[in-house]
Amino acid sequence: GCTAEELARVRALDFFEGEDKALVRDTIGKVFREGVAEAEVRVVSKTGEKTPYLFSARRTTVGEKSYLVGMGIDITERKKTEEMMRRSRERLQLLIDRVPMGCIMWYAGFQVELWNPEAGKIFGYTAAEAIGRQAYDIIVPPGARPHVDIIWRRLLEGDATAGSENEN
């Protein structure tokens, strides 16, 4: 929101406040120490509006002098999207935690990624005990493994109709 003449009369740090100003100072120091850095900060406009930006900078040397060359990108939309995704994940987690049936999500390697409280009641493991463990180690008995292998392979290939009933 500044004219070129106004920009010529202010320092870059004048567009930041508080923690953001300190972060910009630290980032500038990092650029001169390490050669490159980036930071997410809020830029304060002439009207006082704060806008989130991602700044990336690198050091360049001309002769014996080092300079900072950088660019900033307005990340307002990204921040809005991140917040919407965070809220959506929280709502989904609440639903999963309260659904009156066992809900388990698996990584492609057949390790537990998500384990809700009802799954804990059914199988006797808490989420902390189950997450990261192989299905074969906790709920698939040896006799069911060949059949479960076939179902798992079909699921990994995208067959959403694959399923089975077996003892656990």
Side-chain angles (χ1 to χ4, degrees), residues 103-116 119-120 123 125-140 152:
C103 183
I104 304 169
M105 293 177 73
W106 307 95
Y107 289 110
F110 215 9
Q111 297 97 357
V112 176
E113 178 180 358
L114 181 142
W115 184 273
N116 78 344
F123 297 109
Y125 295 96
T126 66
E129 293 169 323
I131 291 174
R133 293 185 65 189
Q134 271 279 335
Y136 296 136
D137 295 337
I138 58 174
I139 66 171
V140 179
W152 186 246

Side-chain angles (χ1 to χ4, degrees), residues 49-67:
E49 181 182 351
K50 294 179 182 175
T51 304
Y53 267 79
L54 172 64
F55 281 99
S56 296
R58 66 178 176 83
R59 181 185 64 228
T60 187
T61 304
V62 177
E64 293 184 18
K65 292 189 176 186
S66 289
Y67 299 91

Side-chain angles (χ1 to χ4, degrees), residues 95-106:
L95 176 66
I96 289 169
D97 287 346
R98 295 192 179 174
V99 68
M101 59 190 281
C103 183
I104 304 169
M105 293 177 73
W106 307 95

Side-chain angles (χ1 to χ4, degrees), residues 6-54:
E6 289 171 322
L7 282 175
R9 292 191 301 266
V10 295
R11 297 175 333 134
L13 285 175
D14 293 339
F15 294 101
F16 306 96
E17 296 176 345
E19 292 176 9
D20 290 315
K21 187 176 278 196
L23 180 56
V24 169
R25 281 191 184 112
D26 291 346
T27 303
I28 290 169
K30 185 176 180 182
V31 169
F32 283 106
R33 282 190 314 278
E34 300 176 19
V36 65
E38 69 178 32
E40 286 187 18
V41 292
R42 291 173 305 268
V43 174
V44 181
S45 73
K46 184 172 148 178
T47 62
E49 181 182 351
K50 294 179 182 175
T51 304
Y53 267 79
L54 172 64

